[in-house]
Amino acid sequence: MKDRFDIARLDMVETQIRRRGVFSPRVLDVMALIPRQEFVPAQFRNEAYADKPLPIGEGQTISQPYMVAAMAESLELTGSERVLEIGTGSGYQAAVLSMLAREVITVESRTTLALEAQERLTDLGYANVHVHNGDGSLGFSETAPYDAILVTAAAPEIPRLLAGQLREAGRLVIPVGSQENQELVQARKTNGELKSRELFGCRFVLLLGRHGWSRPGGEPF
Ligand code: SAH
């Protein structure tokens, strides 16, 4: 039997995602499976499938469903990849990636969010996701290189260490621009260099840290 969340989720996939041009059958199938209501705070459960980002605490957000799907599609995953995500947040995007790739390593700078996301992902059975607490603007060199890297927070430019942690022919997807407006950029490593193209305009919370934006007081996060 389908519950109200299942019905809302199928409607989300059709009206917000497929109709706007995300056609990858694997991405659409995964978006139709993952219980987004488990990744949002209790008071927002009824809005879990709404066409917008939602607050997850500490001034951060879970991205809009369309954005999650479009970013996942632009990583061009086939199932065999090791993927690095920067900005775990709720863990929802990591859950989506975990069903499209072999393994997901995700880095979150806020300790509470990192701990909550790891617990949530483990409870829900996403065993191939590993959450680390730290400054993801440095990438995560311990388990590099990666077949794909996704940054889910806005950066002033592509953090320079990330290119070195990407395998040849790997894809890097990241919102780049000002603090108010960014372009989602898809870069591909070709002959050791990143070749970038802009996908569409977007607005994300800020990537802080060493190779992100700095806070006025100078603290990293
Ligand atoms: N992908 C998330 C949404 C991310 S919101 C989801 O599916 O819910 C962006 C996240 O990036 C926030 O949680 C923020 O704390 C985190 N962040 C910002 N700067 C960071 C950095 N330098 N390293 C790691 N995470 C960072």
Side-chain angles (χ1 to χ4, degrees):
M1 257 255 313
K2 287 198 179 77
D3 67 16
R4 67 195 166 98
F5 290 122
D6 298 330
I7 293 165
R9 186 161 57 248
L10 293 178
D11 184 59
M12 167 195 84
V13 170
E14 178 57 25
T15 61
Q16 300 177 33
I17 301 176
R18 203 188 64 77
R19 257 185 235 169
R20 287 192 191 137
V22 173
F23 297 130
S24 157
R26 297 184 73 230
V27 172
L28 295 173
D29 285 351
V30 167
M31 295 300 293
L33 271 176
I34 298 191
R36 184 169 160 97
Q37 73 273 13
E38 303 297 337
F39 293 84
V40 305
Q43 69 267 35
F44 294 114
R45 270 173 82 88
N46 286 332
E47 291 182 83
Y49 295 97
D51 190 13
K52 58 184 181 186
L54 293 170
I56 55 170
E58 305 206 22
Q60 308 305 312
T61 55
I62 175 174
S63 306
Q64 180 190 19
Y66 168 75
M67 191 62 71
V68 173
M71 290 192 296
E73 182 174 58
S74 58
L75 292 173
E76 302 173 10
L77 302 172
T78 64
S80 61
E81 297 84 357
R82 289 177 61 248
V83 182
L84 175 66
E85 180 197 30
I86 314 295
T88 315
S90 67
Y92 177 66
Q93 177 92 58
V96 169
L97 299 177
S98 79
M99 296 191 71
L100 295 169
R102 179 161 57 90
E103 190 181 14
V104 178
I105 292 90
T106 178
V107 185
E108 170 57 52
S109 53
R110 292 176 185 264
T111 308
T112 309
L113 291 179
L115 293 170
E116 286 174 358
Q118 180 67 81
E119 189 179 349
R120 181 178 296 127
L121 289 160
T122 303
D123 287 353
L124 293 170
Y126 299 100
N128 59 339
V129 182
H130 308 286
V131 182
H132 296 277
N133 182 207
D135 181 2
S137 77
L138 305 169
F140 192 71
S141 61
E142 286 89 328
T143 45
Y146 304 98
D147 303 292
I149 300 179
L150 175 62
V151 182
T152 65
E157 55 191 34
I158 297 180
R160 57 186 170 77
L161 294 176
L162 294 186
Q165 297 179 18
L166 190 63
R167 210 183 277 286
E168 176 67 18
R171 285 78 57 202
L172 165 64
V173 172
I174 177 170
V176 177
S178 69
Q179 297 202 353
E180 290 75 32
N181 282 296
Q182 304 95 34
E183 290 287 329
L184 192 69
V185 170
Q186 184 205 43
R188 193 181 302 273
K189 194 166 181 176
T190 311
N191 301 324
E193 295 205 357
L194 289 183
K195 298 263 186 299
S196 309
R197 68 182 180 118
E198 292 183 354
L199 300 178
F200 51 81
C202 55
R203 184 174 184 164
F204 278 78
V205 299
L206 301 183
L207 181 78
L208 301 174
R210 177 95 65 90
H211 294 293
W213 297 96
S214 32
R215 298 218 306 180
E219 323 80 39
F221 302 111

